[in-house]
Every structure is written in C-alpha cells, then in structure tokens.
Amino acid sequence: MSQARFDVLAVGNAIVDVLSPTTDDFLAAEGIAKDAMTLIDEDRARTLYKAMQPGTEASGGSAANTVAGIASLGGKAAYIGKVADDQLGDIFTHDIRAIGVHFDTPSLKDGPATARCLINVTPDASRSMSTFLGAAALVTEEDVEAGAEDLKAAEIVYLEGYLFDREEAKRAYVAAAEMAAAAKRKTALTLSDVFCVERHKAAFRHLVANHIDILLSNEAELLALYDTDDFDTALAAVRKDVAIAAVTRSEKGAVITAGDETTTVPAAPVTQLVDTTGAGDLFAAGFLLGIAQGRSLEDAGKMGAISAAEIISHYGARPEKSLKLLAEQSGIAFD
C-alpha cells in the first residue's frame, strides 16, 4: 500500500448553510420538524428563506464540515461534492479550498442551483434543517471515478449518509468503497439522521455489512438501523458488521467498539451551549483523523469530543478556534 497523501477523503452534499435564531412557535407555524433534516424544493427554499430571521451564511454540508474540522486539526483532507456553476457554487469552492481542503469535483453546468440548508436554531440549541439539495444531490459514480486517484491516496474514505437518497449516489458509494478496498484503504460511513436511516434502512444495512469498516452514528440512529430500543443489543449487532463503530450519546459522551474492545469517552466540557449544528460532523473529524493517524480508540474519541465541544459553543458548523491547539492543550500530542 502506497503512502497516503490524505488522511481522509469525504464524499457528500456540498451545501451553503444559512443559520438563523428562531422559536418553537416559528417551527410550528412553518411546519418544520424540530431537530431533524427535511428535504424541500427550490420554491419552498425561497419562501422559507424570506420568512427566517437574519442569520449567518457559510459553506457547509455534513461531510464538508468534517473535512473542515480535519483541516483545523492539522490533518490532510480532500472532498468530492457537487456544486453548480453559479455564485453560491463559487463561494463554496473558494471557502473549502481556502481552509486547506483539496477539492476539484467538476461543477454542474446545466441543472439545479447550488444546494442550501436553512437551519433554524431554537433557544435550547436544537437545529431544525430544511434542505434544498439542488446540485449537491447529483454526485454520480463518474464523479467518484474522476476523483479516483485522490480517493486511493486517502487513509479513510468517508461517506455521508445524507447523500444516499438517489440511486446514482448509492452506486457511487459502492464504487467508492470498492475502490478504497482495492487500494487497501478504509471506508467510513455516517448514518447522518434518524429519518435518513428510516428511509434507507435495508440499503444502509447492506452497505454497512458489506462495504463499511468504520461506522459513525448517534444513539438514536444506531437503534433505528438495527430495529431495537436496547442500546446493548444495537452495539452487539454493529460489532458483527464493522471493524470500528463510534456512537455519540450527547452529554453521555461516546461509546466506541472495535472487536471485543469497548471504550467510553466522556463529552468534553462546554462553557456555553449555543448551537448543536455540526456536533456529529466535528466529532467525526476528530475521531477519523485519530484513526487515520493510528491513535488509540480513546485518543481518537477524545479528539472527536474536543472538536464537537468547540462547535456547539457558537453558531455555525465550522471551527472558530484551532482544533489542533485545543487538542494539544488537552494533552493530545501531534508530530
């Protein structure tokens, strides 16, 4: 196996995030499912955007947030995702490259606009996402093949569950996993969202059992995947499917399994909980970089917890402080 050029290459939805403070009354009035991601069309995106309070706009998408976190930790990251040849697409491309992530997926010339996610954040820090996927959903096997050399040069290929809706994306994920396996690299998957799991349970189960080495999820997603209300039962099931599983449990921290080994990592302290947007994405950043660097499960989990704690202390899903510096301050050593 050749020396890896990247620690992690992620495949996911390239989205511009719009974050706005709101109330539960607004969610009810607009019919928005709280603390979940709902797909909307372009007309609904325009209408909801006008109704939202002023907020912030930034390049995002779950897997893109993860590679941004990896870059903040000093890791080497690459990204495959689809944007349109428009203003938001240019902004996304500039932003992700500016933070040091390798990105050269060809832009969509004809078709829907660049994706955007309208995130309404309530005072309890819950985020309710209404997403117009636009060009982002049009990642294909051809895009994976175009990025084949980058993919084969990454220690871990990371797949975002949110992108799994279209058949073309399902085929792209299998192709990416097979390409990674042939290059003796690891493939990781995030389940992304309970509603996502419910939509694609059978397909996810097949993908996880046959193509995934590392699974990341929260507790609710894992329970949904294995049709159980018992956490220990779900853990026993996932052990049989993947080499490593990292399951986040909010303030309870995370449980990590690898074969017969189980590691529990406490949540990192947070001085102020502002917005949980991106918490799972940034946990994945720290955890995956730790695994790519050959660290212990405990240290990888600790890197994930530190990264998640930073992101929920402010609005937005991109780090405002150096995650590498925060990790070093907590006792994690870097070369």
Side-chain angles (χ1 to χ4, degrees):
M1 182 172 63
S2 61
Q3 180 67 32
R5 186 156 52 100
F6 303 109
D7 296 302
V8 178
L9 176 144
V11 186
N13 282 313
I15 298 174
V16 176
D17 287 337
V18 180
L19 292 102
S20 172
T22 195
T23 63
D24 287 321
D25 288 343
F26 179 83
L27 299 183
E30 292 292 335
I32 298 171
K34 186 172 181 177
D35 204 26
M37 192 280 287
T38 304
L39 298 176
I40 59 174
D41 61 22
E42 192 165 359
D43 288 341
R44 171 62 173 155
R46 285 195 294 264
T47 301
L48 182 56
Y49 179 81
K50 291 179 181 178
M52 289 167 60
Q53 296 183 42
T56 61
E57 299 182 2
S59 299
S62 176
N65 293 336
T66 296
V67 292
I70 289 167
S72 182
L73 283 159
K76 298 168 291 183
Y79 184 72
I80 293 174
K82 205 74 170 176
V83 297
D85 185 16
D86 58 18
Q87 183 178 2
L88 285 180
D90 290 343
I91 290 172
F92 182 94
T93 299
H94 175 270
D95 283 357
I96 200 166
R97 289 176 176 171
I99 59 175
V101 175
H102 177 78
F103 174 59
D104 62 3
T105 307
S107 298
L108 185 67
K109 301 300 181 183
D110 297 301
T114 295
R116 69 287 316 262
C117 182
L118 307 178
I119 306 172
N120 284 280
V121 184
T122 43
D124 60 1
S126 292
R127 77 278 188 275
S128 306
M129 299 175 287
S130 302
T131 305
F132 165 61
L133 289 174
L138 302 184
V139 172
T140 65
E141 191 172 344
E142 287 71 27
D143 293 313
V144 168
E145 290 171 351
E149 292 309 308
D150 293 337
L151 189 150
K152 294 174 184 177
E155 285 283 0
I156 298 172
V157 175
Y158 179 57
L159 309 176
E160 175 190 321
Y162 280 134
L163 187 58
F164 207 62
D165 277 296
R166 299 176 69 249
E167 291 303 317
E168 292 88 343
K170 292 181 176 66
R171 290 194 292 270
Y173 274 14
V174 171
E178 291 178 343
M179 203 177 293
K184 301 188 185 305
R185 308 299 188 185
K186 295 182 177 67
T187 301
L189 171 73
T190 172
L191 294 179
S192 293
D193 184 275
V194 169
F195 292 92
C196 194
V197 174
E198 294 294 352
R199 283 199 303 274
H200 308 296
K201 188 174 297 186
F204 267 149
R205 289 280 291 270
H206 184 272
L207 182 71
V208 169
N210 293 281
H211 297 288
I212 300 303
D213 303 297
I214 304 168
L215 183 69
L216 293 105
S217 74
N218 64 30
E219 181 175 359
E221 293 156 3
L222 191 73
L223 294 176
L225 182 68
Y226 291 105
D227 282 318
T228 180
D229 294 325
D230 183 71
F231 185 62
D232 290 336
T233 299
L235 278 185
V238 77
R239 285 181 196 277
K240 298 176 182 178
D241 283 344
V242 297
I244 300 173
V247 186
T248 56
R249 308 182 79 188
S250 300
E251 70 279 1
K252 297 178 184 177
V255 175
I256 303 164
T257 68
D260 294 331
E261 182 181 359
T262 300
T263 301
T264 301
V265 177
V270 181
T271 54
Q272 183 180 18
L273 177 61
V274 175
D275 172 23
T276 57
T277 304
D281 304 336
L282 271 293
F283 179 89
F287 182 75
L288 291 174
L289 181 59
I291 297 299
Q293 293 177 338
R295 299 178 187 269
S296 68
L297 297 181
E298 183 178 4
D299 280 354
K302 187 175 180 180
M303 289 169 64
I306 291 165
S307 301
E310 192 281 336
I311 217 68
I312 64 178
S313 68
H314 57 78
Y315 279 112
R318 296 292 173 86
E320 292 184 351
K321 298 178 181 178
S322 166
L323 298 181
K324 182 179 181 180
L325 179 59
L326 292 176
E328 288 175 331
Q329 291 172 344
S330 74
I332 301 291
F334 289 84
D335 294 333

